[in-house]
Amino acid sequence: MEHTQIEMEKIKYWRTELVRFMMAYKFAVEELSTKISILQEEFQHIHDYNPIEHVKSRVKSPESILKKVQKKKLPLSLPMIQENIRDIAGIRINCSFVTDIYKVANMLTKQQDITLIETKDYIKNPKPNGYKSLHLIVKIPIFMSDRVENVYAEIQIRTIAMDFWASLEHKIYYKYNKAIPKELRDGLKEAAFTANELDEKMERIHNEVSELKEADQLNSHIEESITLPPEFIALLSEHEKHS
Ligand code: 0O2
């Protein structure tokens, strides 16, 4: 074979491998997104309430993967990338309340085909800058035509307030090229504190409303289930007249 033809064959081979490699992550995101949609719909149906407000997903771009390879000083090989960069497939779930975050995490990780690899709980242990979120690294099987790929994925679960904070911080972080001035850092810490207060307040109100709703439902259930015979009602009103 001519030299250039060998080179062409190599390029073709690597292109196919790379496309297959990226495809597995696309499928992982699709599989997880379907699982989350099922939970949303079923939970709404059973509990008349949806703990998931919003879901975003992405597959890391090849450029971002390469940046991470350099940052982590990894050799440029697909198996090494597969094993060491575990957030190529990423799902972000926004919940209304903090307790919902743990409910959703539990509903997902107890599914048979999801293996929980690592939990980073930045809600119980926030980052020094104020970042809060629950990160789960999971492994999920992807059934391809001739093989099963076990793919890592990162699931980030947070409240809307935590997400609002994180997206602003992310923008500022890149605007200042990762060196945020002190006044802004202090401002962000204060905002993280306020976001946390808001989360706590909203959850307290939600719980109070739920309790009222439950009491209402119980009362109407009791009213519906007890049918008093008319003689008994007459006896009661007679008794009331004389007392
Ligand atoms: P992007 O562009 O969002 O994907 P790792 O580098 O993942 O192997 P690390 O850094 O210990 O290991 O992972 P960690 O702490 O779980 O963070 C991973 C992701 O969480 C980040 O991805 C961010 O999306 C988010 N994150 C973590 N810390 C912060 C923070 O302080 N502020 C904000 N806004 N987001 C944060 P990437 O790959 O860094 O970026």
Side-chain angles (χ1 to χ4, degrees):
M1 234 192 273
E2 220 182 294
H3 184 67
T4 49
Q5 200 181 345
I6 296 172
E7 288 296 304
M8 289 297 284
E9 289 295 320
K10 260 193 198 166
I11 290 171
K12 214 171 134 193
Y13 169 79
W14 278 110
R15 190 182 292 148
T16 314
E17 280 304 294
L18 201 63
V19 169
R20 283 191 109 182
F21 179 84
M22 294 305 291
M23 257 180 150
Y25 292 102
K26 177 179 170 279
F27 297 148
V29 159
E30 284 172 0
E31 229 177 275
L32 283 169
S33 301
T34 306
K35 281 176 177 295
I36 295 162
S37 300
I38 291 171
L39 286 181
Q40 264 179 303
E41 214 170 300
E42 191 249 10
F43 206 89
Q44 173 79 55
H45 186 71
I46 301 290
H47 303 280
D48 198 18
Y49 162 72
N50 178 11
I52 298 170
E53 286 285 341
H54 187 243
V55 184
K56 260 191 266 174
S57 65
R58 63 108 180 90
V59 175
K60 226 179 180 66
S61 67
E63 294 77 32
S64 302
I65 297 173
L66 275 180
K67 265 191 206 155
K68 214 156 194 175
V69 166
Q70 283 161 356
K71 192 177 135 200
K72 288 182 171 245
K73 297 189 170 63
L74 293 173
L76 198 57
S77 90
L78 293 184
M80 285 302 277
I81 294 174
Q82 204 165 26
E83 191 48 41
N84 293 287
I85 302 186
R86 299 179 171 183
D87 66 343
I88 298 177
I91 300 262
R92 190 170 287 157
I93 304 174
N94 287 349
C95 291
S96 318
F97 308 107
V98 179
T99 45
D100 288 338
I101 294 176
Y102 294 98
K103 263 186 220 157
V104 170
N106 188 43
M107 286 191 286
L108 277 171
T109 53
K110 72 177 188 212
Q111 298 196 3
Q112 265 180 14
D113 54 347
I114 293 187
T115 311
L116 178 63
I117 304 292
E118 193 184 357
T119 304
K120 289 184 202 169
D121 193 340
Y122 296 124
I123 297 173
K124 293 211 169 86
N125 304 299
K127 284 199 167 182
N129 60 359
Y131 177 76
K132 279 184 141 194
S133 189
L134 179 70
H135 292 191
L136 308 173
I137 300 292
V138 298
K139 223 173 189 183
I140 179 164
I142 305 297
F143 296 90
M144 312 277 244
S145 56
D146 59 346
R147 59 184 171 184
V148 179
E149 292 268 3
N150 284 295
V151 168
Y152 287 111
E154 185 184 70
I155 307 173
Q156 297 182 350
I157 320 178
R158 47 173 81 150
T159 60
I160 301 162
M162 290 173 195
D163 191 55
F164 189 24
W165 184 93
S167 46
L168 179 65
E169 193 268 354
H170 194 263
K171 272 183 215 141
I172 296 175
Y173 186 72
Y174 283 101
K175 185 174 163 62
Y176 286 92
N177 205 12
K178 305 179 184 182
I180 305 180
K182 187 175 177 320
E183 317 84 78
L184 272 179
R185 265 187 283 141
D186 290 346
L188 279 168
K189 264 202 169 169
E190 218 177 292
F193 184 79
T194 311
N196 186 50
E197 274 191 333
L198 178 67
D199 272 339
E200 285 179 357
K201 222 173 251 177
M202 296 293 266
E203 186 144 2
R204 263 201 311 273
I205 295 171
H206 169 72
N207 288 341
E208 280 167 23
V209 173
S210 301
E211 275 167 27
L212 286 176
K213 215 167 128 187
E214 264 172 39
D216 266 2
Q217 273 167 353
L218 189 69
N219 283 342
S220 63
H221 186 69
I222 291 170
E223 276 164 21
E224 277 165 22
S225 61
I226 302 175
T227 41
L228 296 174
E231 313 84 66
F232 189 66
I233 294 173
L235 212 67
L236 275 178
S237 50
E238 206 45 42
H239 175 75
E240 241 172 39
K241 257 192 238 161
H242 298 293
S243 61

